[in-house]
Amino acid sequence: MRLRKYHGAGNDFVMLADLEARMGPPGSLAPDLVSALCDRHTGIGADGVIRILAEPGDAERRMDYYNADGSPAEMCGNGIRCLVLHEQRAGRLDDSDHIVMTVAGPVIVRGQGAGRFTVDMGTPVLRREDIPMTGSGSSLRVEVALDGDSLRGSAVSMGNPHLVLFTDEIGRALDDDLVLGLGPRLEVHPDFPARTNVEFVEVVNATTLRLRVWERGIGETLACGSGICAAMAAAASLQRTGPHIRVEVPGGSLEVEWEPGGHIWLTGPAEEVFEGEIDSHWLEARGLERHAGLVGEAI
């Protein structure tokens, strides 16, 4: 099984080009295969797996994305930049704008040169029922009960659910105790029936946010494209920043711009890490023999 590994601002992915869908339809990759590939000790090691499928019609490719625990996810702003770079280097896409289909809908990706891309992340959703989050009405000011306390935050959907917490509003420092202590508990909070990503945000000034993220189905990652956009949408809506800002994450710095009343555009890097091959012995050792037919395939 041939594969490549990419990262976007430290958010890393195993990339499988399966244009003929030999591994099944979208959303059908076996969770045990995904989690084995993503294991950082006995596998390749990644935050997720991206399978690239051909897409008939206006979209040129489909991103079939899975979190490290094997669960399918709607969209990944860092991963989609890596997908387009992969296809450009394979000679299947040129340097122009491209449309990639995701579970969250079609996404425009624009090349900026030097391995940088701008992604149309869509319009943020601020209705609880559409995130989804229990309750109704605006989600810009929500209260989440935890251990007898109430955390004030903003719930946002960027095609996937997010809970944004500003450190000054909850009276906490942006440190491991906060992220690793609250992240895994809030991910599975009953207010979020589909679970949620959690962004911990420090407002540096009107043009800069500092962010750490706990990703649903993965844990803390060095960057999260949709999480960066959710944080920006919450901050700008609450007039804590302007519509064009820089967001600093452990994996680097990305730019975000929100068109008035419209779409959010995310600009950041993509980089290839290595190319490799998984053989039948590795699959057999992990009880994944049923995938052995894919060994040697140029995917």
Side-chain angles (χ1 to χ4, degrees):
M1 179 184 298
R2 295 186 62 79
L3 50 81
R4 293 175 187 255
K5 182 173 176 178
Y6 285 77
H7 81 90
N11 199 188
D12 56 346
F13 312 95
V14 171
M15 193 77 64
L16 305 174
D18 185 21
L19 300 185
E20 297 180 358
R22 294 187 65 254
M23 302 177 77
S28 65
L29 280 192
D32 54 356
L33 175 62
V34 172
S35 59
L37 289 170
C38 291
D39 191 292
R40 295 193 182 277
H41 300 286
T42 61
I44 300 299
D47 293 325
V49 169
I50 296 173
R51 184 168 60 130
I52 306 171
L53 300 171
E55 182 70 12
D58 292 337
E60 296 156 283
R61 293 291 181 270
R62 174 175 287 272
M63 182 172 73
D64 190 30
Y65 177 61
Y66 300 81
N67 295 318
D69 67 354
S71 59
E74 299 90 343
M75 168 57 180
C76 178
N78 292 317
I80 204 166
R81 300 196 308 272
C82 295
L83 181 156
V84 172
L85 179 62
H86 178 282
E87 291 300 276
Q88 286 179 344
R89 292 192 169 178
R92 293 188 287 260
L93 293 180
D94 58 25
D95 293 334
S96 62
D97 295 357
H98 298 286
I99 299 175
V100 178
M101 184 60 66
T102 72
V103 174
V107 176
I108 298 172
V109 183
R110 294 175 174 167
Q112 302 293 343
R116 290 180 66 81
F117 299 85
T118 296
V119 179
D120 179 1
M121 298 292 289
T123 303
V125 174
L126 301 173
R127 287 167 49 90
R128 290 192 188 202
E129 54 266 42
D130 297 328
I131 289 172
M133 182 183 184
T134 58
S136 60
S138 173
S139 62
L140 279 176
R141 287 296 190 187
V142 299
E143 302 282 342
V144 179
L146 192 68
D147 297 338
D149 291 327
S150 184
L151 295 173
R152 172 180 281 189
S154 300
V156 180
S157 173
M158 292 300 308
N160 53 359
H162 297 268
L163 174 63
V164 179
L165 301 176
F166 294 100
T167 56
D168 58 348
E169 292 190 348
I170 62 175
R172 298 285 297 272
L174 187 61
D175 57 18
D176 287 350
D177 287 343
L178 177 65
V179 178
L180 305 182
L182 292 186
R185 297 157 67 200
L186 290 170
E187 175 192 349
V188 297
H189 195 280
D191 285 357
F192 296 90
R195 298 188 294 165
T196 188
N197 303 282
V198 187
E199 285 73 44
F200 302 92
V201 184
E202 176 186 340
V203 179
V204 179
N205 54 47
T207 60
T208 307
L209 298 179
R210 188 169 293 125
L211 179 148
R212 289 176 65 175
V213 59
W214 181 272
E215 283 204 58
R216 178 183 57 166
I218 304 173
E220 186 179 13
T221 58
L222 297 182
C224 173
S226 60
I228 288 168
C229 295
M232 187 271 193
S237 295
L238 295 170
Q239 298 184 330
R240 305 204 63 180
T241 68
H244 190 176
I245 66 171
R246 183 177 78 254
V247 179
E248 299 172 352
V249 294
S253 178
L254 297 96
E255 297 177 36
V256 196
E257 183 169 6
W258 190 1
E259 298 174 343
H263 290 207
I264 293 180
W265 295 82
L266 174 70
T267 299
E271 184 176 346
E272 183 177 353
V273 181
F274 65 79
E275 177 183 4
E277 185 170 349
I278 293 294
D279 64 20
S280 58
H281 301 293
W282 184 87
L283 293 169
E284 292 167 2
R286 287 150 186 82
L288 301 169
E289 296 92 341
R290 64 189 181 282
H291 302 294
L294 296 171
V295 172
E297 288 295 315
I299 65 175

